[in-house]
Amino acid sequence: MEEDSCKPNLKTYAPLLKMCYKKRRMKVLNFLLIHMFRNDVSIDAGTYALLVRGLCMSEKLELACSFFKEMVSKGMVPMNATYKMLVEELNKNCMGEAKEQIEKLMS
């Protein structure tokens, strides 16, 4: 895309991000995120939710919490299903302190 002077956008990245977490390709996911930020592509609430869910499924809970907190700090209201999934995974993995921080954000 870059060779053809075509600037990628969020719609370009979303399916790639989804594929990365489904295939558990965290290095590629990290590369894509860095590439997005370098190209000034902002993440919307849906993409944050996608990242949080995918990272939960890949057992990357600290990173999932980080994206969840970033989403809330930007004034985006997470979907209830995303919140519940994150809290359940934190609880299941005995990450009580992180769970409390997420719950505090939502109260």
Side-chain angles (χ1 to χ4, degrees), residues 68-82:
F68 190 90
K69 290 174 185 176
E70 185 176 315
M71 173 175 48
V72 173
S73 74
K74 289 183 176 182
M76 297 178 201
V77 179
M79 293 182 287
N80 198 35
T82 304

Side-chain angles (χ1 to χ4, degrees), residues 26-38:
M26 294 300 117
K27 287 183 181 179
V28 177
L29 178 72
N30 190 48
F31 171 81
L32 288 172
L33 290 170
I34 290 169
H35 197 268
M36 287 174 67
F37 297 129
R38 285 186 182 154

